[in-house]
Amino acid sequence: MVTAADSGKARTSVWLAGGHTAPARRRTEAPSGLDRERITGATVRLLDAEGLARFSMRRLAAGLGVTAMSLYWYVDTKHDLLELALDRALGELPLPRTAPAEPVAPVRDGWPGRLRSLACGYRRLLAQHPWVAPLTAAYPNIGPHARAFDSALQRLLEATGLAGACRTGAHLAVSQFLHGCGGAARRVPDGDFVLALDVLIAGIEAKAAARPGA
C-alpha cells in the first residue's frame, strides 16, 4: 500500500519540490519515445486496470516497453508519479460555471444545483478510479487540477451568501463529505449518497437564511 513517504523518510510533494517539471538531466541520454505526459497517462491506465496495491514502476515500464530505470529520467520517485497521476485524474472532473447562463431555474441552476452536480461528478470520478480516494488521503491535493476543483467549490460557497467562519465551516463540511461519503463510492448506495447530500445542502441553505452575509 502506498504511504506518503518513501522508506520512512520525509518527502516533499512533487508540486512543491519543482518536481512538476522533469528532473534536470542530460537530455542527450534520455530514452527516446518517452515523455512525462505519456508516462503519467500510462500510470492512470495501469492503476485503473490493476489497482494501487499492484502498481509498480517495473509493471509500468513493462507496459511501456522500456526498462524501469528509463522512467527515472522523467520522475524522481514512484510517489512523484502517483501524485502526477492523481492530479491527471482530477482533471477529468467537469467544473461548474461561475453562474448559471440563464436565471430561469434557480433551484436547478443556482448554487445548490451546481454544488449537487459537482458532488455527484466527484463521486462518479472516484467510482471510475478507485485508487484516487486513498491517494487523496496519502498526498497533499495541491496540483493544478486539485486547486481548480477547490476554487470551483469556493466560488459555489461564495454564492450562498455565507462569509467568514460560516463559509469556512461550509467548505470544511462539503470537503469532508466528499472525501468521506464520496470516497466510499462503491459501498454507499446512490440513494443514500443523494439523501446525505440533500441534507448537507439544506443545512447550508438554512445557515445562509438565518445569517445572511454572516
Side-chain angles (χ1 to χ4, degrees):
M1 177 59 67
V2 173
T3 62
D6 273 317
S7 303
K9 294 187 289 187
R11 62 177 297 275
T12 302
S13 169
V14 68
W15 303 110
L16 297 177
H20 55 284
T21 57
R25 299 188 175 105
R26 289 171 291 176
R27 287 292 144 203
T28 56
E29 297 182 11
S32 62
L34 284 182
D35 57 45
R36 178 170 278 194
E37 287 298 307
R38 182 185 174 199
I39 294 170
T40 302
T43 299
V44 170
R45 292 190 294 273
L46 181 59
L47 288 166
D48 285 344
E50 299 197 13
L52 187 57
R54 289 176 56 82
F55 177 83
S56 71
M57 298 295 270
R58 191 176 301 277
R59 286 178 180 273
L60 176 62
L64 288 167
V66 300
T67 66
M69 289 306 299
S70 298
L71 302 177
Y72 292 102
W73 287 95
Y74 302 94
V75 292
D76 284 325
T77 69
K78 178 178 76 172
H79 292 279
D80 287 351
L81 184 53
L82 289 173
E83 277 198 84
L84 293 169
L86 170 61
D87 201 67
R88 169 73 71 88
L90 292 175
E92 298 175 12
L93 180 65
L95 299 180
R97 298 186 301 271
T98 301
E102 298 180 7
V104 295
V107 174
R108 176 176 294 276
D109 292 333
W111 73 259
R114 284 178 281 141
L115 179 55
R116 186 175 290 105
S117 177
L118 182 66
C120 291
Y122 189 78
R123 173 177 165 85
R124 287 192 297 271
L125 176 75
L126 295 182
Q128 292 164 2
H129 304 295
W131 49 273
V132 165
L135 289 189
T136 58
Y139 300 122
N141 295 292
I142 55 176
H145 291 118
R147 294 197 306 271
F149 173 81
D150 191 66
S151 294
L153 177 57
Q154 291 280 13
R155 290 193 298 271
L156 286 177
L157 294 175
E158 288 175 9
T160 67
L162 292 173
C166 289
R167 189 192 298 170
T168 299
H171 182 272
L172 178 62
V174 174
S175 297
Q176 291 296 320
F177 173 81
L178 292 179
H179 293 303
C181 185
R186 292 177 178 268
R187 299 191 301 272
V188 178
D190 287 345
D192 291 349
F193 175 83
V194 171
L195 177 60
L197 178 59
D198 286 345
V199 170
L200 176 61
I201 291 174
I204 296 174
E205 288 180 307
K207 191 68 173 178
R211 299 184 61 186

